[in-house]
Amino acid sequence: ACGLYEAAIKAAIEGLELAEKIGEGMQKSFLFYWAAEAALGAGHGDSAFKFIQRGISEGEKIGHPLGLAVLRLTLAKALLRGGRVEESMEPAKAALSFFQALDMGGLLQRSLGIYAEILANWMPKDEMQIDKMMERAAALVERSSSPWDKIEYLKALARISRLLKDKYFR
């Protein structure tokens, strides 16, 4: 969030090395997730895809559904940022379904925002569904005490608004 993407990638890689050394498999998915998010933030899409692929492979080995869901959400975001809107739908739906089933607060809110953004890039645009998703995301932000959830919500809202010709910011 503060722009130190290269440091974040380095820290995630160090965490992966430590997790490997001590045999801590559950954390690997999240470390790959954070490395992928940092790589995306730094504009390194290819690196992000590599981290995501490795993370999904590790998550499947140990059977870690939450780790796989966050990685799928990041995969959807990476595909969307790469202009691959149609491909981004499947991993976004999978992550959204998982987070909805468990009503997972900030992760559900983030998933709703990314899925709404995918729909805003989709032709034809389904503005009613986008509105419903963003209303649900807003309700989750209200329920949360986390400023990060609000920041994620506002970032999604800004990206969607840009695509829908400032519908939300008039």
Side-chain angles (χ1 to χ4, degrees), residues 95-164:
L96 181 59
S97 294
F98 181 81
F99 297 134
Q100 280 178 322
L102 299 177
D103 193 23
M104 294 192 71
L107 289 170
L108 174 56
Q109 177 266 316
R110 201 167 301 140
S111 189
L112 287 162
I114 290 170
Y115 197 80
E117 187 182 348
I118 289 168
L119 291 176
N121 278 278
W122 190 259
M123 292 304 251
K125 293 173 178 27
D126 184 351
E127 292 189 30
M128 281 186 55
Q129 191 176 3
I130 294 168
D131 288 344
K132 284 180 189 174
M133 290 184 154
M134 292 311 287
E135 285 172 14
R136 177 88 194 272
L140 288 165
V141 168
E142 287 297 317
R143 192 171 82 183
S144 170
S145 61
S146 170
W148 297 111
D149 290 347
K150 186 162 190 160
I151 289 168
E152 287 295 326
Y153 170 77
L154 291 172
K155 286 183 344 187
L157 199 59
R159 287 190 296 267
I160 292 166
S161 177
R162 179 180 50 85
L163 293 164
L164 298 179

Side-chain angles (χ1 to χ4, degrees), residues 4 19 25 28 40-41 58 68 84 86 91 97 122 138 140 144 165:
L4 300 173
K28 284 184 185 179
L40 275 178
E58 290 291 326
L68 289 168
R84 296 158 61 184
E86 190 170 343
S97 294
W122 190 259
L140 288 165
S144 170
K165 304 208 182 352

Side-chain angles (χ1 to χ4, degrees), residues 4-35:
L4 300 173
Y5 301 114
E6 300 298 333
I9 293 169
K10 183 179 181 225
I13 290 170
E14 288 174 5
L16 282 165
E17 289 169 357
L18 179 59
E20 188 70 38
K21 183 177 178 181
I22 64 172
E24 174 50 69
M26 295 297 276
Q27 293 303 317
K28 284 184 185 179
S29 294
F30 293 105
L31 290 161
F32 280 117
Y33 160 71
W34 285 115

